[in-house]
Amino acid sequence: MVCTLQDLLELPVLESAKLCSAADQLANRPVEWISVIEIPVENFVRKNELVLSTAIGCGHRVDLFQQFVEDIMFSGAAALMIAKGRYVDEVPREVIQFADRHNFPLFELPWEVRFSDVIHAVTRKINHWQHHILEQSEEMQQMILQLFLQGKDLSAVAQTLQQKIGHPVLIVDRHGALKGESKKASALAKRWPHMIEEHPDLLLWNPTTTFTTTYHQHELKTCRLFDHSLVLFAIRSIHQVQGYLVIDLPQDLDAQALLQMATIHIIEKAATASALWFQRETAVIEMEARLRGDFVWSLANGEIDSREQMLIRAKSLQYDVNASYSCIVGIPANLASVYKKQKNRSLPFENWAQEVTSYVTELLTQTAKTLKKKCMITFQSEQFIIFLETNGEQPGKQALDYLKRVNQKLSKYLPELVISWGIGEPHSGDKAFHASYSDARTALDIGNRQKGEGHVTTYAETGIYRILRTLIHHEELRKLTLQTIGKLFEQDEDRGLELLHTLKTYIRNQGNVSQAARALNLHRQSLLYRLKKIESLTGRTLTNPDDLFLIDLSAKLWTAGIADEQRK
């Protein structure tokens, strides 16, 4: 139900209103407000507004009169009523013809009809209509609340909404999974998976329409897919999109024709009440995720005392701990800087970071499922902990292949996010999970020191650094290391020349200047300058095998941990 122009013309105060133009379908023209406007119009007219005017200032100039009517029409007004008498003897024929061409209702009112009486009568009518809308929308909300209390599913909600608005309805979660459908929505439900598969951006909430009613702005998304004209209305909970109402319209029906004030309020109430189902599901999922996460964290820390206790907890969480697992640890390196680059920072950093880590956790889980591998995953203490099934040969390669797929997806959806990864070895025994986690942490730590952030490092490739870490407290070796490359560290700290990084890259490329220059993205001459600087500061020659061995050993000892001691 909407308050239309035809309804208002039935008011006694408007009995004498005369329609000048050839506008039709007055019963389909909603009216939500009324105002008195004279030139200039500017932006004072709202959509669906009935405008009253004396046309003072333009009554004797056809061009000004037509511009006045045009401005009101293109503002979205429902109609214009001109007081005929003092300032306008007759509405010019050219103006009437203009209104005819655009199917715009143009009326004449006798001068004796007071605008105040018209405004009073129309406002009462609109207020009565708005009160009826409120009753209808509140009734809709109460009906859905009763469905929730009765334990009904979201299909019952979709059916209730369809009965109110007369169109098929789907209810989906924010990932597009179908949660409910009305009885007449089966055709859309069958096509829906193909729609979101071919148009994944459909569920990225970028509203295409902002529908304004008296008190609110409602964000909608309209689209036409597979011969379906769809309207998506977000279901929100705590300012986050939890799902969508998907309304299927006939192709010949414009979305704006459907979404008038009465309907939009009913849909809004339905969306608000539907959030209860998502909140309940979210609460259950969060509780399960918390229990699973705590279990994985306990495995990583070796806090489960007996295998019997581990098996009992694993069974309750539907985990299989009898398979062989390799631990993978990942640490996001730049969440804060990525957040600062966001154009729309509507969420506080903590909430945004939680959304990002939840997304990555879900991606990690889905990738394991794609590879048909069991996994146990959590995000605790600012780190992703993944126990990935690596039965069979080459467990390290299996873990690397898994991370390769993960990083490919991350580079597509979160290209600026940098995560450092460490991969542990599979172990056996009661503390197998803790041992593999320790391996992964060691690999991650050494990889960050050796390669920098954003790389993948396996425990197997850190052997030499693990040996060197046992030597960093040897006093003679510490002194020799500081004497050899200590000045390089000071230069890097003071001038930012990255001499240590340059040295490591040069050694990694086996002394090939051209290859090292490309790896460092430096001009050859710039690299040669840095190498001369390194030789000058170390007092060693890079072409001398013994000197090069000592410099390389010192650099590795530095990376292994002497650098941390020096910073202290």
Side-chain angles (χ1 to χ4, degrees):
M1 174 184 174
V2 294
C3 182
T4 68
L5 187 57
Q6 186 64 54
D7 295 330
L8 298 181
L9 291 175
E10 294 172 3
L11 294 171
V13 73
L14 291 177
E15 286 179 348
S16 57
K18 175 187 174 184
L19 179 63
C20 300
S21 61
D24 56 8
Q25 296 184 331
L26 301 185
N28 291 330
R29 289 184 175 271
V31 179
E32 296 180 11
W33 10 59
I34 184 171
S35 67
V36 178
I37 296 291
E38 307 295 349
I39 59 170
V41 175
E42 296 182 348
N43 63 344
F44 295 113
V45 177
R46 290 176 290 190
K47 189 173 181 179
N48 298 335
E49 185 165 271
L50 174 60
V51 178
L52 308 178
S53 180
T54 65
I56 187 173
C58 62
H60 300 289
R61 286 190 55 182
V62 174
D63 57 338
L64 282 179
F65 206 137
Q66 181 169 320
Q67 185 62 54
F68 176 59
V69 174
E70 182 177 345
D71 289 345
I72 289 176
M73 181 186 71
F74 285 119
S75 295
L80 171 62
M81 293 186 173
I82 303 292
K84 178 183 172 183
R86 179 170 299 181
Y87 303 109
V88 175
D89 296 327
E90 296 287 343
V91 176
R93 181 173 51 85
E94 294 87 347
V95 174
I96 294 174
Q97 290 174 345
F98 173 81
D100 286 343
R101 289 195 301 271
H102 292 85
N103 194 30
F104 180 65
L106 182 61
F107 293 84
E108 290 181 348
L109 272 178
W111 184 260
E112 294 76 20
V113 177
R114 292 184 296 187
F115 282 179
S116 60
D117 293 338
V118 175
I119 292 172
H120 178 70
V122 169
T123 301
R124 285 190 63 187
K125 182 75 172 179
I126 291 175
N127 286 341
H128 176 74
W129 166 68
Q130 289 178 350
H131 180 70
H132 181 70
I133 288 173
L134 183 61
E135 288 181 338
Q136 290 281 313
S137 58
E138 291 294 337
E139 179 187 347
M140 179 68 185
Q141 189 173 48
Q142 289 300 318
M143 290 171 66
I144 295 178
L145 288 175
Q146 285 299 315
L147 293 175
F148 180 79
L149 294 174
Q150 293 167 9
K152 303 293 186 181
D153 60 16
L154 282 169
S155 289
V157 176
Q159 181 61 26
T160 302
L161 181 57
Q162 177 187 296
Q163 291 170 351
K164 282 288 184 181
I165 65 176
H167 300 285
V169 178
L170 295 184
I171 301 178
V172 301
D173 68 15
R174 61 193 179 97
H175 304 294
L178 187 62
K179 294 296 183 179
E181 62 179 280
S182 62
K183 292 181 180 179
K184 294 183 180 179
S186 56
L188 176 60
K190 289 179 182 178
R191 288 185 167 184
W192 179 253
H194 303 290
M195 290 180 178
I196 59 176
E197 182 179 350
E198 294 190 18
H199 302 274
D201 59 335
L202 182 62
L203 299 180
L204 296 176
W205 189 242
N206 49 341
T208 55
T209 303
T210 301
F211 187 88
T212 304
T213 60
T214 311
Y215 304 108
H216 302 285
Q217 281 193 335
H218 310 269
E219 291 182 338
L220 312 171
K221 190 169 187 177
T222 58
C223 58
R224 197 176 291 271
L225 297 173
F226 290 83
D227 301 326
H228 290 267
S229 182
L230 304 180
V231 177
L232 275 69
F233 198 105
I235 299 171
R236 294 180 179 272
S237 175
I238 317 177
H239 307 298
Q240 296 181 10
V241 174
Q242 299 291 336
Y244 304 92
L245 297 176
V246 184
I247 301 169
D248 191 13
L249 306 182
Q251 289 194 50
D252 59 348
L253 181 63
D254 180 55
Q256 291 295 330
L258 166 75
L259 299 169
Q260 301 302 337
M261 188 173 180
T263 310
I264 203 75
H265 278 283
I266 289 173
I267 295 172
E268 182 183 53
K269 292 295 185 181
T272 302
S274 298
L276 291 170
W277 277 261
F278 290 94
Q279 289 171 353
R280 181 174 61 188
E281 183 177 331
T282 299
V284 172
I285 291 172
E286 286 180 351
M287 177 59 72
E288 290 180 353
R290 191 175 299 112
L291 292 172
R292 287 171 175 260
D294 290 344
F295 176 68
V296 175
W297 182 240
S298 297
L299 289 177
N301 286 310
E303 295 173 353
I304 301 179
D305 297 328
S306 68
R307 182 166 182 80
E308 182 182 0
Q309 182 186 4
M310 178 175 68
L311 290 172
I312 292 172
R313 289 181 63 183
K315 184 178 180 181
S316 68
L317 297 170
Q318 298 181 324
Y319 278 147
D320 177 11
V321 292
N322 292 314
S324 177
Y325 291 89
S326 294
C327 184
I328 302 172
V329 176
I331 295 183
N334 64 335
L335 275 176
S337 60
V338 173
Y339 174 74
K340 290 178 181 177
K341 294 178 182 177
Q342 300 298 305
K343 293 181 180 178
N344 182 16
R345 283 186 275 173
S346 57
L347 291 175
F349 172 73
E350 291 76 13
N351 299 87
W352 175 87
Q354 184 178 4
E355 283 198 355
V356 171
T357 53
S358 296
Y359 168 79
V360 175
T361 301
E362 190 172 331
L363 188 151
L364 291 166
T365 303
Q366 291 301 321
T367 304
K369 287 182 180 178
T370 301
L371 294 172
K372 297 181 179 179
K373 288 186 174 293
K374 299 168 186 173
C375 69
M376 297 180 287
I377 299 173
T378 187
F379 182 80
Q380 303 253 6
S381 297
E382 308 300 318
Q383 60 184 331
F384 296 102
I385 301 173
I386 308 119
F387 286 109
L388 180 73
E389 179 188 17
T390 53
N391 286 326
E393 298 179 355
Q394 297 182 305
K397 183 178 184 302
Q398 294 176 48
L400 284 169
D401 290 342
Y402 167 77
L403 283 183
K404 183 179 179 181
R405 293 201 182 201
V406 169
N407 285 330
Q408 284 174 345
K409 293 179 181 178
L410 282 175
S411 65
K412 181 177 180 181
Y413 295 107
L414 291 169
E416 295 180 336
L417 183 63
V418 175
I419 302 180
S420 301
W421 301 99
I423 300 175
E425 296 285 308
H427 290 264
S428 58
D430 292 346
K431 298 295 182 179
F433 293 99
H434 175 60
S436 188
Y437 169 71
S438 297
D439 289 353
R441 284 293 318 194
T442 299
L444 177 64
D445 181 45
I446 292 175
N448 275 344
R449 294 170 184 271
Q450 182 187 3
K451 306 172 186 177
E453 295 173 335
H455 293 87
V456 180
T457 307
T458 66
Y459 185 74
E461 66 184 281
T462 63
I464 188 170
Y465 287 95
R466 283 182 276 126
I467 293 172
L468 292 174
R469 288 177 80 167
T470 66
L471 302 175
I472 60 175
H473 298 295
H474 191 284
E475 190 61 30
E476 192 64 31
L477 280 175
R478 286 172 54 80
K479 287 181 180 178
L480 184 59
T481 299
L482 290 173
Q483 289 172 0
T484 305
I485 63 170
K487 291 183 179 179
L488 300 185
F489 171 75
E490 293 174 2
Q491 287 287 313
D492 285 354
E493 291 281 292
D494 295 340
R495 302 186 183 182
L497 291 177
E498 296 187 336
L499 295 180
L500 279 170
H501 179 56
T502 300
L503 174 62
K504 292 176 186 177
T505 306
Y506 174 75
I507 294 173
R508 196 181 307 122
N509 284 276
Q510 300 177 330
N512 187 310
V513 175
S514 298
Q515 288 181 8
R518 283 195 294 271
L520 291 164
N521 198 24
L522 283 177
H523 191 277
R524 180 184 174 87
Q525 289 302 120
S526 298
L527 176 57
L528 290 173
Y529 168 78
R530 288 192 185 184
L531 295 176
K532 288 291 184 184
K533 189 75 174 174
I534 290 169
E535 289 182 331
S536 172
L537 292 169
T538 60
R540 304 288 175 175
T541 305
L542 295 175
T543 56
N544 183 299
D546 291 339
D547 285 352
L548 184 60
F549 172 78
L550 180 59
I551 292 174
D552 188 18
L553 177 62
S554 298
K556 285 182 167 61
L557 284 167
W558 189 269
T559 301
I562 290 179
D564 293 338
E565 297 295 325
Q566 185 65 13
R567 288 188 179 93
K568 293 177 183 178

